Amino acid sequence: VAVYDALWVNAHLATMTSQGDAYGSIRDGALATHGGLIAWVGPRAALPSQPQELARTVIDAGGRWITPGLVDPHTHAVFGGERLRDFERRIGGEAYVAATGPERGIAHTVAMTRAASDAELYASARGRLEALIASGATTVEIKSGYGLDEETEIRMLRTARRLGRDLGVTVRTTYLGAHVVPPEFLERRAEYVTFVCETMLPRLARERLADAVDVFCDSIAFAPEEARRIFSAAAALGFPVKMHADQLGDCGGAELAADCGALSADHLEYASDAGIAALAAAGTVAVVLPGAFYYLREKRAPPIATLRACGVPIALASDCNPGTSPLASLTAAMNMACVLFGLTPHEALLATTRNAARALGLGDRGELRLGLRCDLALWDVASPAELCYWLGRRLCAGVVVAGSSRAAP
Ligand SMILES: [Zn+2]
């Protein structure tokens, strides 16, 4: 009598647990699923009987490596239009903060997103999500923040939810109403913060459209005291919080994120030593975003050595967005994190599995371990480090979500 729904054999496993080598490797391993969870994992030689006697379906993984399905904990993948004009101007040497005026900056994407139909938002984001899945992702966070008015923010979050259902992966939605102050509130900032706290957050809680709340805290966005007000309102409604912190300058973002018990503080290029120490004490995950650093040709990398020294878990994300990181591949992000930030390949894989799951507050995934969700990625590589070595080459042979193989997009 078959015990398991499916069993993968002829595979090497990077379990990303703390057992064995850095990757928790099991060469010539086997992994079984039952009811969507990992029901057995270990060396093939330790299987209690023949594979065919153990599972209804036995899958020969062809000697591939299997890792936990990758987790992208920070994207802005739903938006209207693009920002080609910004891109062309910037490669001509213009600074990011100078991007204002028609067809420029976040305000342009806000206008394009408001003007886009639901079908247009869905179709363009679907292509980006398919690309992330093709790079090994089985869990993707998607933020709102390009609508800013009530109806467009709701449409963005509904689009994200629908994408998760249709593509058969986990989509976690984050409300980023505090991305920038929308044009109609430019002279009335405090009123906009009140609208976020008193109109948007209660509605999102009622309609269960957001899994977390994010604030862009920086010189061109929201001030620390505004962020604190939004986080208090979010926490009162039971939302976990996270923050775009210290990307363009040190505004005490890391300290504030830690103080508010944020799941993650993201970017952190300019975070201070005291800010990093505060993240460590609070158990807040640092999410690094090499795509934006690369596209903006920034000079200042996040303080990886200090994060390591303080023991802050480091996660990594595509930051897929039209303005500063039109990047739709987690393996490319891993390569960039190694080349630009000096992460080791092991740190980069930990940053897209265990630590990325933690950045989303998901304790049920991110490792190949008994009882966790059976979310897997299968790879055409000879070792896990090779995932970080190639740039622009498709390495993922397919993903498995809750025990079911998902056809490659
Ligand atoms: Zn972002």
Side-chain angles (χ1 to χ4, degrees), residues 317-338:
S318 70
D319 192 16
C320 178
N321 79 66
T324 62
S325 187
L327 172 63
S329 163
L330 276 173
T331 45
M334 288 162 70
N335 171 276
M336 289 179 178
C338 293

Side-chain angles (χ1 to χ4, degrees), residues 74 76 143 244 267 289 319 321:
H74 181 140
H76 308 251
K143 301 175 197 297
H244 285 67
H267 278 294
L289 304 165
D319 192 16
N321 79 66

Side-chain angles (χ1 to χ4, degrees), residues 231-251:
F231 285 158
S232 304
L237 291 163
F239 287 111
V241 300
K242 56 175 81 182
M243 194 164 135
H244 285 67
D246 303 329
Q247 178 188 7
L248 306 168
D250 176 16
C251 63

Side-chain angles (χ1 to χ4, degrees), residues 15-394:
T15 65
M16 304 315 287
T17 59
S18 45
Q19 286 167 350
D21 70 5
Y23 296 96
S25 300
I26 301 172
R27 288 190 172 266
D28 196 9
L31 184 145
T33 185
H34 191 74
L37 305 179
I38 295 173
W40 196 93
V41 56
R44 169 156 57 168
L47 280 171
S49 58
Q50 290 304 309
Q52 289 73 14
E53 295 165 8
L54 289 169
R56 277 193 289 281
T57 309
V58 177
I59 301 154
D60 183 336
R64 292 188 174 93
W65 277 86
I66 297 179
T67 68
L70 302 189
V71 176
D72 192 342
H74 181 140
T75 86
H76 308 251
V78 173
F79 57 85
E82 30 60 25
R83 292 257 285 284
L84 269 172
R85 188 161 161 72
D86 280 351
F87 176 66
E88 290 175 324
R89 291 279 286 273
R90 219 165 41 232
I91 54 182
E94 187 183 86
Y96 172 54
V97 290
T100 55
E103 298 180 43
R104 311 297 312 281
I106 293 173
H108 175 59
T109 300
V110 170
M112 297 297 285
T113 304
R114 288 176 176 179
S117 68
D118 286 358
E120 286 165 344
L121 284 181
Y122 177 86
S124 65
R126 183 174 172 127
R128 296 185 275 272
L129 194 55
E130 292 277 15
L132 286 167
I133 296 166
S135 78
T138 52
T139 301
V140 177
E141 185 254 22
I142 299 179
K143 301 175 197 297
S144 69
Y146 292 123
L148 306 177
D149 64 39
E150 185 168 352
E151 279 321 301
T152 316
E153 288 289 301
I154 299 283
R155 291 201 297 124
M156 288 184 74
L157 293 166
R158 283 194 182 134
T159 300
R161 285 262 193 259
R162 188 177 149 211
L163 284 164
R165 282 195 301 273
D166 289 0
L167 295 185
V169 293
T170 300
V171 167
R172 299 290 285 181
T173 57
T174 299
Y175 172 57
L176 179 61
H179 194 187
V180 290
V181 178
E184 58 276 19
F185 279 95
L186 275 182
E187 307 303 321
R188 302 179 286 139
R189 299 180 64 93
E191 274 180 54
Y192 183 66
V193 175
T194 300
F195 162 76
V196 166
C197 294
E198 294 179 12
T199 302
M200 289 305 296
L201 291 177
R203 178 166 178 193
L204 296 173
R206 239 176 8 249
E207 298 187 18
R208 297 180 190 282
L209 276 172
D211 302 312
V213 171
D214 193 345
V215 173
F216 186 13
C217 183
D218 231 309
S219 55
I220 62 166
F222 289 83
E225 54 273 21
E226 294 168 327
R228 192 179 285 278
R229 216 184 126 199
I230 293 165
F231 285 158
S232 304
L237 291 163
F239 287 111
V241 300
K242 56 175 81 182
M243 194 164 135
H244 285 67
D246 303 329
Q247 178 188 7
L248 306 168
D250 176 16
C251 63
E255 287 92 331
L256 177 59
D259 196 40
C260 294
L263 284 175
S264 70
D266 302 24
H267 278 294
L268 297 172
E269 279 82 345
Y270 287 86
S272 66
D273 289 355
I276 302 299
L279 294 179
T284 298
V285 177
V287 178
V288 298
L289 304 165
F293 177 91
Y294 166 81
Y295 273 99
L296 296 177
R297 293 196 288 188
E298 293 284 356
K299 298 289 184 285
R300 178 148 167 165
I304 300 297
T306 312
L307 291 168
R308 276 188 195 122
C310 292
V312 177
I314 300 172
L316 168 63
S318 70
D319 192 16
C320 178
N321 79 66
T324 62
S325 187
L327 172 63
S329 163
L330 276 173
T331 45
M334 288 162 70
N335 171 276
M336 289 179 178
C338 293
V339 173
L340 300 173
F341 294 168
L343 259 60
T344 65
H346 166 248
E347 286 174 323
L349 187 55
L350 205 55
T352 48
T353 54
R354 203 165 84 194
N355 291 348
R358 186 170 160 183
L360 295 178
L362 298 172
D364 63 348
R365 66 196 72 189
E367 297 171 64
L368 304 182
R369 188 153 58 77
L370 220 55
L372 294 196
R373 265 173 73 95
C374 187
D375 285 357
L376 314 174
L378 283 76
W379 302 98
D380 288 317
V381 293
S383 73
E386 198 182 341
L387 295 173
C388 298
Y389 172 67
W390 295 102
L391 182 61
R393 183 172 164 192
R394 180 155 179 179

